[in-house]
Amino acid sequence: MKKTLIIAEAGVNHNGSIDIAKRLIDVAAEAGADYVKFQTFKSEKVISAIAKKADYQMINTKDDSQSQLEMVRKYELDKDTHVELLNYCKEKGVKFLSSPFDLDSIGLLNDLGVNIFKIPSGEITNLPYLRKIASFKKEIILSTGMCNLSDIEKALEVLMNNRVSLDSITVLHCNTEYPTPFEDVNLEAMKTIESAFKVKVGYSDHTLGIEVAIAACAMGARIIEKHFTLDKTMEGPDHVASLEPHELKALVSAIRNIDRALGDGIKRASASEIKNILIARKSIVAKENIKRGEIFSENNIEVKRPGNGISPMLWDKVIGKVAKHDFQKDQLIEL
């Protein structure tokens, strides 16, 4: 059975509060997500003083006077907080994951024993970053927002040239707009990536609602990543495009059901429906009372349920045969 890996992305929706971060872990664990993902960075190593906010950041924070650097500083999590959150995840039975945004943060996550490196879309063209992640030879999840196939190809080449196995990489189709308009999702591109690079694929979703993530799962995504929050009305850049707890729970439930429903691809009668074959299929029966010695014809036989007699697929073989005994109307024909 297909088992989709579900990453509930808390991101920076903790707003710099360890208490909110722990509540987010509670929500992810209760929903049944496999991982809860945060973001690891040192603001000054990621963002220059002249970097402007993205449009969605200005809209969602309702503040166009603050620089991107000023906005992001309060979302930093120090090493001790990482350790506390990692241990809290273990306590709650959900795995800890975080996206590093600078070289020092890559080292921190490796030192903490995180077993998967999640590369965010903005780092896919960062050569020193890709090389450092590749050096640890761990599982890699690569997001591809804002990318074309050439960008993905170059990033994969860097990773594989540094002795990372293609089998250990999952590439996520993604759109880096929060929220993503439905007409910009281009979900078919996920299959294009899979075909072009013969790689495992998934989907990182920034649309409103859960429909597109569910569709991606049905299309074969190995991983689904989705932002979530305690409350969409909270202050911060990503809350608006995030799921609330009840929505995250619904998403996880839907994905688990789809995993079960996809099956193994072999077309056959399932265990649950075999009992209905005799009820739903039909047999050849007497259309009227038939006397022994009469010839079966379209005038005296027809097709009706149940299906435990002669199959209608043998109709031509029955036509023209002689009745060996009397048949009552609706009686199953026997040869």
Side-chain angles (χ1 to χ4, degrees):
M1 183 181 78
K2 177 176 178 280
K3 174 65 161 60
T4 304
L5 191 73
I6 301 175
I7 300 173
E9 179 162 9
V12 296
N13 283 344
H14 51 75
N15 285 4
S17 164
I18 193 167
D19 291 333
I20 293 176
K22 287 183 175 180
R23 287 168 62 194
L24 287 166
I25 292 170
D26 291 338
V27 168
E30 185 178 343
D34 297 293
Y35 284 86
V36 58
K37 186 174 81 71
F38 294 92
Q39 294 179 6
T40 303
F41 56 87
K42 289 293 184 183
S43 302
E44 279 75 13
K45 292 184 178 293
V46 178
I47 304 167
S48 71
I50 61 172
K52 295 180 179 180
K53 284 183 180 179
D55 288 345
Y56 80 86
Q57 291 173 333
M58 288 190 286
I59 292 169
N60 294 346
T61 60
K62 299 179 176 61
D63 184 356
D64 59 2
S65 63
Q66 192 181 45
S67 72
Q68 187 181 153
L69 179 59
E70 290 169 331
M71 177 191 72
V72 165
R73 276 197 184 104
K74 67 179 181 180
Y75 301 123
E76 278 188 27
L77 302 175
D78 61 21
K79 180 178 179 179
D80 290 342
T81 301
H82 275 76
V83 172
E84 188 170 349
L85 294 180
L86 195 153
N87 289 333
Y88 191 73
C89 283
K90 290 178 181 177
E91 181 183 327
K92 292 296 178 177
V94 63
K95 295 176 183 176
F96 175 90
L97 195 61
S98 189
S99 293
F101 285 79
D102 58 80
L103 300 182
D104 289 349
S105 294
I106 294 171
L108 170 61
L109 292 175
N110 185 65
D111 292 344
L112 292 175
V114 174
N115 63 340
I116 298 175
F117 277 116
K118 168 64 203 304
I119 300 175
S121 295
E123 306 305 326
I124 197 168
T125 58
N126 187 339
L127 180 59
Y129 176 104
L130 294 174
R131 282 176 174 160
K132 181 156 187 176
I133 280 186
S135 71
F136 295 112
K137 307 298 183 292
K138 294 188 176 182
E139 292 284 324
I140 292 173
I141 301 171
L142 177 66
S143 273
T144 59
M146 307 172 289
C147 289
N148 55 36
L149 288 181
S150 177
D151 295 324
I152 300 170
E153 181 179 25
K154 289 173 183 175
L156 291 176
E157 283 178 354
V158 171
L159 295 173
M160 290 188 291
N161 286 343
N162 286 273
R163 294 179 294 174
V164 174
S165 165
L166 192 62
D167 290 340
S168 66
I169 303 171
T170 303
V171 179
L172 303 190
H173 176 52
C174 179
N175 181 291
T176 308
E177 174 67 347
Y178 303 82
T180 300
F182 289 110
E183 59 270 21
D184 287 348
V185 171
N186 192 19
L187 201 53
E188 290 287 351
M190 181 180 74
K191 304 300 291 182
T192 300
I193 293 168
E194 181 179 43
S195 175
F197 302 112
K198 305 298 184 289
V199 68
K200 293 176 289 186
V201 293
Y203 176 59
S204 180
D205 186 34
H206 298 137
T207 63
L208 297 177
I210 64 176
E211 300 97 321
V212 179
I214 291 171
C217 172
M219 288 174 64
R222 307 285 191 94
I223 296 173
I224 295 293
E225 179 181 77
K226 184 76 173 178
H227 281 265
F228 76 108
T229 180
L230 300 179
D231 185 340
K232 291 180 184 179
T233 65
M234 292 173 69
E235 180 185 348
D238 295 340
H239 294 285
V240 173
S242 300
L243 298 180
E244 291 189 338
H246 70 282
E247 294 174 302
L248 179 63
K249 196 168 187 177
L251 175 64
V252 173
S253 177
I255 288 174
R256 298 303 183 218
N257 287 340
I258 290 169
D259 281 343
R260 293 165 60 200
L262 285 173
D264 58 14
I266 300 172
K267 180 57 184 170
R268 60 185 180 278
S270 70
S272 64
E273 68 179 342
I274 285 175
K275 64 183 183 297
N276 295 323
I277 290 177
L278 299 183
I279 296 171
R281 289 186 178 175
K282 296 178 179 177
S283 304
I284 299 174
V285 302
K287 188 175 183 179
E288 58 186 31
N289 293 339
I290 299 173
K291 298 294 186 182
R292 179 182 176 185
E294 287 189 39
I295 295 174
F296 295 128
S297 71
E298 293 184 359
N299 295 322
N300 60 11
I301 62 173
E302 61 184 346
V303 174
K304 288 185 177 181
R305 292 176 176 178
N308 57 332
I310 295 175
S311 168
M313 295 298 287
L314 298 175
W315 178 267
D316 291 343
K317 292 184 182 295
V318 174
I319 294 291
K321 292 289 193 298
V322 177
K324 299 292 186 179
H325 55 79
D326 293 346
F327 291 91
Q328 300 297 313
K329 177 178 170 56
D330 281 345
Q331 185 176 345
L332 294 173
I333 296 299
E334 302 167 1
L335 292 181

